[in-house]
Amino acid sequence: TGLFWASKDNGGDIDWAGATSYCQSLGSGWALPTIEELHAIYLPEGEVGQSCIGELTCKLTPLISVTGLTPWSQDANGPSEAWYLYLADGEKYAYDATDTHGRRALCVRR
């Protein structure tokens, strides 16, 4: 992807503003990825991925440890929503930016 990815997500439920702040707290150059950057680390069908919640599989490299299926992107969808990627199927969804349930911060450095 040409980016340096954090080796793990933030480890717990977080809203979009909190995810943005979390990445910035890691230091200079750290930020949430774009939805396209998140999709670039999604493994296509047939690839193994990693177990992440119950019996669900997060389809991304096991080199990045995740504790949830839905990392936020930096991309807003209007004034009150933001995009996240569902790591079980590779689809992007826009959702209320104040929602925390299952949402994570998976940061990149450019």
Side-chain angles (χ1 to χ4, degrees):
T1 63
L3 302 170
F4 183 79
W5 289 85
S7 62
K8 61 183 181 177
D9 64 24
N10 68 303
D13 291 352
I14 194 167
D15 67 12
W16 187 55
T20 299
S21 294
Y22 172 80
C23 290
Q24 291 171 344
S25 77
L26 297 178
S28 180
W30 286 99
L32 287 174
T34 66
I35 195 66
E36 290 81 15
E37 290 165 345
L38 277 171
H39 198 264
I41 63 169
Y42 176 77
L43 295 175
E45 285 302 316
E47 298 288 331
V48 176
Q50 63 181 281
S51 181
C52 63
I53 295 182
E55 299 195 18
L56 294 173
T57 299
C58 285
K59 302 238 179 154
L60 80 158
T61 176
L63 298 174
I64 300 173
S65 177
V66 292
T67 60
L69 286 161
T70 54
W72 288 112
S73 78
Q74 68 176 300
D75 302 317
N77 183 44
S80 62
E81 291 185 342
W83 291 97
Y84 67 84
L85 186 76
Y86 187 56
L87 292 173
D89 66 10
E91 293 296 319
K92 66 179 186 174
Y93 298 93
Y95 207 76
D96 184 338
T98 62
D99 182 64
T100 61
H101 185 73
R103 309 292 181 255
R104 300 291 187 268
L106 181 58
C107 309
V108 296
R109 187 171 62 200
R110 294 179 174 81

